[in-house]
Amino acid sequence: MEEVVQKEEKRAWKTDSNAVKKVTKPVRISQISNEKELRLDTQDQEFNRVLGGGIVPGSLILLGGEPGIGKSTLLLQIALKLAYKTLYVSGEESQKQIKMRADRIHPESENCYILTETKTQNIFQHISTVEPDLVIIDSIQTLHTDYIESAAGSISQIRESTAELIKFAKESSTPVILVGHITKDGAIAGPKILEHMVDTVLQFEGDRNYVYRILRSLKNRFGSTSELGIYEMQGSGLREVNNPSEVLISKNDQDLSGTAIAATVEGMRPLLIEIQALVSTAVYGTPQRSATGFNVKRLNMLLAVLEKRAGFKLAAKDVFLNITGGISVDDPAIDLAVLAAILSSNSDIPIEKGVCFAAEVGLAGEIRPVQRVDQRILEAEKLGFTAIYVSKNNKIGLKNTSINVQLVSKIEDVVKSLF
Ligand code: TYD
Ligand code: MG
């Protein structure tokens, strides 16, 4: 445990003397107003969606993500687009660096103020002169407060700085967005308590070598956590991807073997993704199995099922699997598309255009039902697909679809019908 030495001085946002003691009384639940809270429109549809419709006044939002994924870009972009006064506080970059980034992203903004400062007391002083409608802190790990004697980034500094910011946010109704660094194992660096203190925890993720980024909410006191935002990193900042299925499927005119389309659901959003497989005879003794964006253990399991239940000899083959766009998917409903891609590559027969899949595959080779099958079918239909393979055991509520819904119960059914 680190030693915490508290100093005597009064704290900027923690003075008890002038805090009005609010006495709350019990109120009948029926008498509590349920008027919708006003929210700040960020002008970014993806960001609004993930928050549940914009930023709630006085709320604290923590945005986590690996270094270089685009957290600063996303927040600066929002600050520049916003029709309200924003104070962007950076402890990581100089004003010049931020200006250079801003020049790439968006034309001039008269509402965005940049401050490079790490001491909370000074930040609050500037806040009281600028009077911003939104404060962005990049990052919480760089802040330090005078009231605690330990290094910036230490657990007690992070906790104390966050507490001061929460107090400010709640008292002034000004929302605050904090950037939080992520450790190697994916947790937000600093105390776990940070995540309990804030109202909303967002995570920005993706593969840095690819252009797509996903914004998820891990906790949200003001909305659902199943919404998802998708962006594309471009030379001029992050572009909102409002119709993700269209970009995640490559528009190849030739029929290529080894690719199959899966109708997946990420959060609440149906999403069509492309799966590519390459099956080739192993050159060395032990065959290689590798997967990007998909669990290798699951891949091995599916290969074993193919071997045992459908009689395909894949034990001596290398199998490579790739989900295009650099996104990773753990929706079991893409199993069937993974198998179809593998079989297509193995036989070198392309899967017919316009066909997609939405089913889980069990250990006995049975095709299992998936959640929200109707949503998946509708998305596939919307994008012009002509056939979708789903489990016979899936209850389908849709009527009069123009897409051909193929009900299958065993891998053999699929193989017979495809190849
Ligand atoms: P950054 O926002 O600095 O990441 P974080 O704050 O999460 O560490 O983004 C870093 C990457 O984004 C960097 O490698 C450059 C790239 N980038 C673009 O591709 N286009 C752009 O317009 C900007 C501003 C950055
Ligand atoms: Mg940054």
Side-chain angles (χ1 to χ4, degrees):
M1 277 304 286
E2 62 185 308
E3 204 180 323
V4 179
V5 184
Q6 299 242 352
K7 291 193 192 161
E8 291 293 299
E9 302 147 57
K10 278 250 158 40
R11 305 176 162 209
W13 292 93
K14 292 199 135 195
T15 42
D16 297 327
S17 50
N18 52 16
V20 190
K21 281 230 167 61
K22 275 193 216 147
V23 184
T24 61
K25 284 185 300 188
V27 178
R28 274 211 190 92
I29 191 159
S30 57
Q31 286 168 352
I32 300 173
S33 143
N34 60 356
E35 259 176 64
K36 267 203 146 178
E37 276 198 79
L38 277 176
R39 289 179 187 239
L40 205 114
D41 177 2
T42 61
Q43 307 290 320
D44 178 320
Q45 295 325 310
E46 300 295 298
F47 202 74
N48 282 350
R49 179 211 308 275
V50 175
L51 289 174
I55 300 177
V56 173
S59 65
L60 238 88
I61 300 167
L62 177 65
L63 173 69
E66 283 175 26
I69 206 71
K71 300 179 295 298
S72 305
T73 306
L74 178 65
L75 294 180
L76 183 61
Q77 189 167 320
I78 285 169
L80 291 170
K81 267 198 260 177
L82 209 63
Y84 303 91
K85 209 190 272 179
T86 311
L87 181 65
Y88 183 105
V89 184
S90 179
E92 312 213 319
E93 288 156 315
S94 69
Q95 285 172 328
K96 271 236 167 59
Q97 277 175 303
I98 298 169
K99 171 71 174 159
M100 271 161 61
R101 176 178 291 140
D103 286 343
R104 287 173 75 170
I105 298 174
H106 202 269
E108 298 290 294
S109 161
E110 290 303 321
N111 287 319
C112 180
Y113 291 74
I114 305 290
L115 170 68
T116 48
E117 176 62 68
T118 55
K119 196 163 129 182
T120 57
Q121 282 72 27
N122 295 349
I123 294 173
F124 287 125
Q125 241 171 33
H126 291 295
I127 286 176
S128 56
T129 47
V130 175
E131 297 188 321
D133 301 300
L134 170 70
V135 176
I136 295 171
I137 307 280
D138 190 356
S139 66
I140 186 67
Q141 278 89 4
T142 59
L143 290 196
H144 66 98
T145 166
D146 269 354
Y147 306 122
I148 301 254
E149 272 184 1
S150 64
S154 68
I155 292 180
S156 50
Q157 282 290 3
I158 293 177
R159 193 195 302 132
E160 182 59 27
S161 306
T162 308
E164 288 177 17
L165 287 162
I166 290 180
K167 192 143 199 292
F168 157 72
K170 302 295 168 202
E171 284 179 3
S172 64
S173 283
T174 311
V176 177
I177 306 181
L178 306 174
V179 170
H181 287 296
I182 247 175
T183 56
K184 274 206 201 83
D185 46 7
I188 291 174
K192 191 74 189 157
I193 197 172
L194 190 57
E195 287 168 51
H196 295 294
M197 291 167 87
V198 300
D199 299 303
T200 303
V201 179
L202 304 181
Q203 184 152 304
F204 207 33
E205 51 187 54
D207 187 324
R208 245 185 308 158
N209 301 318
Y210 290 90
V211 293
Y212 296 106
R213 302 283 181 270
I214 291 179
L215 184 69
R216 265 179 224 286
S217 108
L218 305 181
K219 163 185 175 179
N220 193 354
R221 286 191 182 140
F222 310 111
S224 120
T225 51
S226 48
E227 286 293 358
L228 191 87
I230 301 181
Y231 295 89
E232 183 181 346
M233 181 62 95
Q234 298 186 326
S236 54
L238 290 152
R239 183 180 76 87
E240 297 170 37
V241 177
N242 300 116
N243 193 353
S245 296
E246 279 180 3
V247 293
L248 293 172
I249 299 173
S250 64
K251 297 186 182 58
N252 252 324
D253 285 332
Q254 305 130 291
D255 286 340
L256 299 172
S257 68
T259 66
I261 309 291
T264 174
V265 173
E266 273 285 330
M268 300 285 278
R269 279 171 108 172
L271 199 66
L272 271 84
I273 54 163
E274 185 173 316
I275 292 163
Q276 294 184 315
L278 180 67
V279 179
S280 65
T281 309
V283 186
Y284 307 104
T286 356
Q288 293 188 61
R289 267 67 210 272
S290 92
T292 339
F294 189 71
N295 188 324
V296 183
K297 281 193 191 139
R298 187 128 194 120
L299 171 64
N300 282 325
M301 182 214 98
L302 291 174
L303 291 171
V305 171
L306 271 184
E307 181 107 30
K308 177 108 182 168
R309 307 285 174 193
F312 287 93
K313 297 275 165 279
L314 298 168
K317 303 268 177 107
D318 286 340
V319 178
F320 304 98
L321 196 78
N322 184 22
I323 294 181
T324 54
I327 60 169
S328 35
V329 179
D330 48 18
D331 177 8
I334 73 169
D335 283 356
L336 189 56
V338 169
L339 282 192
I342 292 169
L343 292 175
S344 162
S345 173
N346 190 48
S347 61
D348 203 17
I349 302 174
I351 291 168
E352 213 180 300
K353 274 227 146 3
V355 173
C356 63
F357 305 85
E360 187 181 337
V361 176
L363 286 177
E366 80 279 21
I367 310 293
R368 305 172 61 103
V370 295
Q371 288 186 332
R372 298 200 222 186
V373 72
D374 290 352
Q375 224 184 333
R376 301 174 198 257
I377 296 173
L378 281 177
E379 179 75 3
E381 182 178 28
K382 200 173 91 193
L383 289 165
F385 280 80
T386 49
I388 180 165
Y389 284 77
V390 301
S391 166
K392 216 171 217 151
N393 297 324
N394 245 136
K395 292 245 173 326
I396 294 163
L398 298 168
K399 302 228 160 52
N400 309 325
T401 48
S402 65
I403 186 169
N404 173 13
V405 180
Q406 293 268 0
L407 299 171
V408 284
S409 57
K410 292 193 305 276
I411 296 181
E412 294 92 299
D413 302 347
V414 185
V415 175
K416 243 184 256 151
S417 148
L418 281 179
F419 306 110

